[in-house]
Amino acid sequence: MTAPTLPPAPVPAPRAAAPPSAAAWPVRLLLDGDDDQAVHRAAYQWADPARGRITVDPTPHTTSPAYLALDVLRAMGRDGFLRPEAERMSTDPAWRAVTCWTLATDVYEVIVLRAHRLTTERLRRLAAWRADTGIRLTLLAHTPEQTDFQRLREHLTAAELVDTVTVRGTVAVLEAIGPAATRRRTGPPPRDHAHPLPALPRSSVAAFRADCWRRQNATDFAHTDGQYRAGYAAARTWLARTLLLQPTPPEVTEEADHPAEPTPFSLQETEDVRLFLARLTVSSPSAAHTVARVRGAQAGLLTRSVLLNVPDYLTSRAGPGITTVPLTPRTVHMITVRLPNPLRAAAVAALLFTGTDTSLLSMTQIGSVDEDGTTVAIDRDSRINIGEPPGPQHVYAVPPRARPLLRAAVEFRRRTPRTADNHGLFANCFGTTPRFEALIADAGLPIPALANGHSGDDWHTAARCWHLHTPTPPAPDVLPRFGELHP
């Protein structure tokens, strides 16, 4: 007798901090006694990793739980381990990686093929994965004989997968799998394009915009000025939201013939402005875009009586927007496909979006990443100069596309036995030269920070700010465009 057809799985809302209970969705056991090719084809066509649905096809002729974890990672699109020289993961790290990627990328429904060949140990791993993440698990088995079905039930019971609902018959199984995914993306995303900017003048903030107007044609200036005005508006908005109260200027007597001295930013204000500069420039497609944005930000802060001083020649330094690579969909796709290990994927992403030296990144602690995965704060000074008063941290903004990678890495380290928040996040990634070279070879991406050769402070950590106690005329939040006449 054919069991009633199960309704399609509901699409859950984005996963909250705690995964939903696995008991909410019983395990579906689909029995395809005829081993119909249409069932396999339907299971493959149903999968859509970008929307949280994957189909796992276990490697034949192996019973290793580690191989099953690698099969799950391949179903997620992380198949870099297939390269002969790529790093291998043992059983426990491989399953930790599966759990962390599931939570970070919101995979919620899984179909496992050839379930009748799974050993008890492999089923136990699937049960633990389900309990940790709340996925809806479907097992597709081929058991033409009653004895085969009975043996499968015994294995499921031994693995504590007892809340199962069975569906028999080809037609019922096809209906339970559901329709094929539509608009499923195949292959890497297309390449991105940004309009290159010409060489920019080495002018101060007071003359930068006017010099660009004089030296560039109309098209180039339109692109340069767009970056400049974006930095200007962002600075005024950030200052209005972050620094609401200006410090009280020191008292000036009537006999004094000079205004009050500028007040330097406090420690917290300095870290805030560094984070703002990192967010402003982390996605800059070139160093010229970064210079235009920073000059605009300096002009915007001056309209609020704040003086921002940055290194004279930004392009000779390292840091966000100078030695970074924008994490476009194509770049993130290449990282995740080639590096199934969450720690290694996050380490390469951090090299690309911080643009800093590996000696600093190696000091990144698990607790350096905030809860939302939006910032990385590396406290280098207190780790080198023990006992001295704390100084401003090296703060970096995490671009949105890199946040799932950082969250997966943090989750991976916290699930590792004997781990604390003050332990290194990128353990075993930057420790030795051979291991680091293997990481770069596996990633297969150009990393500008490695070719820059600048070992000093990044440009945004060398920035300094002062409150100017001078009246300033009102200025618009968004700069107007230049008219037909020269400024």
Side-chain angles (χ1 to χ4, degrees):
M1 179 181 296
T2 302
T5 302
L6 296 179
V11 179
R15 185 173 279 117
S21 173
W25 289 338
V27 177
R28 299 193 303 173
L29 182 58
L30 310 184
L31 300 182
D32 177 25
D34 298 331
D35 197 7
D36 196 321
Q37 186 179 4
V39 173
H40 275 262
R41 184 167 58 250
Y44 274 110
Q45 293 175 345
W46 164 88
D48 190 353
R51 291 175 174 80
R53 307 188 314 192
I54 62 173
T55 296
V56 181
D57 191 357
T59 301
H61 311 300
T62 179
T63 59
S64 167
Y67 264 91
L68 181 58
L70 299 182
D71 292 329
V72 176
L73 292 172
R74 184 176 67 246
M76 293 180 181
R78 292 162 173 81
D79 54 1
F81 57 84
L82 295 178
R83 296 171 55 247
E85 66 275 14
E87 182 198 38
R88 295 295 190 270
M89 285 188 288
S90 58
T91 301
D92 287 343
W95 280 103
R96 282 201 300 273
V98 167
T99 298
C100 295
W101 285 128
T102 302
L103 295 173
T105 59
D106 288 331
V107 172
Y108 71 92
E109 191 167 4
V110 180
I111 294 179
V112 181
L113 306 180
R114 312 177 202 274
H116 58 292
R117 296 183 178 273
L118 296 178
T119 63
T120 302
E121 177 58 27
R122 285 184 152 200
L123 289 171
R124 285 197 182 101
R125 292 286 182 172
L126 292 176
W129 177 31
R130 172 175 174 253
D132 287 341
T133 61
I135 58 171
R136 187 188 194 193
L137 181 61
T138 299
L139 302 176
L140 180 57
H142 315 290
T143 56
E145 303 295 337
Q146 182 62 28
T147 55
D148 299 329
F149 176 66
Q150 185 61 33
R151 183 171 59 253
L152 176 59
R153 296 293 303 182
E154 291 173 357
H155 288 173
L156 290 172
T157 302
E160 299 182 356
L161 288 173
V162 294
D163 55 334
T164 59
V165 177
T166 305
V167 178
R168 297 176 183 269
T170 301
V171 175
V173 167
L174 289 173
E175 292 181 357
I177 291 174
T182 58
R183 300 186 302 275
R184 180 172 49 189
R185 190 187 70 197
T186 58
R191 297 183 182 275
D192 293 312
H193 173 73
H195 190 280
L197 298 184
L200 301 181
R202 292 184 174 180
S203 306
S204 65
V205 59
F208 179 82
R209 193 181 187 212
D211 287 346
C212 290
W213 169 266
R214 295 187 184 96
R215 300 180 186 183
Q216 297 176 358
N217 60 42
T219 301
D220 287 341
F221 178 75
H223 290 287
T224 302
D225 196 46
Q227 301 294 316
Y228 182 93
R229 290 187 296 110
Y232 176 94
R236 286 178 58 88
T237 302
W238 169 79
L239 196 60
R241 293 176 177 176
T242 307
L243 304 178
L244 299 179
L245 299 177
Q246 299 292 331
T248 303
E251 184 177 355
V252 180
T253 62
E254 296 181 358
E255 293 78 11
D257 57 355
H258 58 82
E261 292 293 329
T263 303
F265 270 30
S266 65
L267 179 64
Q268 183 59 52
E269 290 175 334
T270 300
E271 291 183 352
D272 288 342
V273 76
R274 289 178 176 181
L275 179 58
F276 161 71
L277 292 173
R279 285 175 172 161
L280 178 67
T281 59
V282 68
S283 298
S284 292
S286 72
H289 289 77
T290 298
V291 172
R293 293 182 187 184
V294 172
R295 291 288 183 250
Q298 289 179 289
L301 293 178
L302 274 177
T303 63
R304 300 270 189 172
S305 298
V306 172
L307 175 63
L308 169 62
N309 186 22
V310 296
D312 291 335
Y313 303 113
L314 292 182
T315 55
S316 65
R317 306 293 286 262
I322 304 297
T323 53
T324 56
V325 173
L327 289 185
T328 62
R330 188 180 183 90
T331 302
V332 174
H333 172 82
M334 296 173 69
I335 293 174
T336 55
V337 167
R338 296 174 179 178
L339 299 170
N341 187 321
L343 291 184
R344 290 163 61 82
V348 169
L351 281 171
L352 293 178
F353 72 74
T354 63
T356 192
D357 191 75
T358 55
S359 62
L360 180 62
L361 274 183
S362 62
M363 298 183 184
T364 308
Q365 300 175 349
I366 300 174
S368 298
V369 183
D370 71 335
E371 293 184 0
D372 298 326
T374 59
T375 61
V376 176
I378 306 172
D379 194 0
R380 184 187 70 174
D381 296 337
S382 66
R383 297 189 65 180
I384 294 179
N385 306 314
I386 300 177
E388 293 188 5
Q393 300 182 96
H394 295 250
V395 186
Y396 297 88
V398 182
R401 294 189 184 98
R403 291 169 190 172
L405 306 183
L406 266 293
R407 287 197 297 266
V410 170
E411 188 71 17
F412 186 90
R413 290 288 288 133
R414 285 178 173 162
R415 289 175 178 270
T416 303
R418 298 179 297 278
T419 298
D421 275 358
N422 61 348
H423 289 180
L425 175 60
F426 302 124
N428 300 325
C429 293
F430 306 128
T432 62
T433 300
R435 183 174 290 273
F436 180 66
E437 290 177 348
L439 170 66
I440 301 305
D442 286 347
L445 293 169
I447 301 178
L450 301 182
N452 179 263
H454 183 81
S455 58
D457 285 346
D458 295 338
W459 72 268
H460 75 300
T461 62
R464 298 292 182 268
C465 266
W466 293 267
H467 292 285
L468 304 178
H469 307 294
T470 56
T472 55
D477 287 332
V478 179
L479 277 177
R481 298 182 184 273
F482 273 140
E484 296 295 331
L485 299 177
H486 286 262

